[in-house]
Amino acid sequence: MASLLVAKQHMSEALRSVGPSSGAWASESYAQVFDTIDILVAAGVAAGTIRSDLETADVVLAMSGLLRLDVTGDWKGQADRQIRLLMDGLQAGTHPLPLNADTAE
């Protein structure tokens, strides 16, 4: 997954160099990624392998660290650490997350 994100980072740089970016294209891509992660989170929660207090936005935000890898440095080591931290945080049976301010009662 990290290799794909590094390739995406290089591709984004190349696309920016040949013309203006399209906000609509980026929004559509983000929506597809968000929807896919939502399906995966729901399946993991249903299987009992992913904590049930997660929101899809939590996972997307946690994954954003992978988009900031230093592609000129030790990106593989950075990616391994980021993925391990993310996966450990997703595990069922860990400490509950604090309530989201938007959903707190």
Side-chain angles (χ1 to χ4, degrees):
M1 178 168 83
S3 296
L4 293 174
L5 291 171
V6 169
K8 178 202 166 292
Q9 198 171 18
H10 286 295
M11 189 182 314
S12 293
E13 292 167 7
L15 289 172
R16 277 193 296 273
S17 71
V18 296
S21 64
S22 169
W25 176 81
S27 293
E28 184 178 321
S29 295
Y30 180 80
Q32 290 173 349
V33 168
F34 194 91
D35 291 345
T36 301
I37 293 171
D38 190 49
I39 291 167
L40 293 171
V41 168
V45 168
T49 57
I50 293 179
R51 58 189 308 149
S52 62
D53 58 349
L54 281 175
E55 296 177 10
T56 301
D58 296 328
V59 178
V60 172
L61 186 58
M63 289 176 63
S64 69
L66 293 171
L67 297 173
R68 300 193 182 279
L69 296 175
D70 178 6
V71 297
T72 63
D74 178 28
W75 68 266
K76 288 182 182 181
Q78 291 174 345
D80 287 344
R81 289 186 297 279
Q82 289 292 317
I83 291 169
R84 185 173 307 247
L85 182 62
L86 176 64
M87 297 307 290
D88 287 349
L90 292 173
Q91 289 180 3
T94 56
H95 295 288
L97 293 172
L99 290 177
N100 185 332
D102 295 336
T103 60
E105 295 179 8

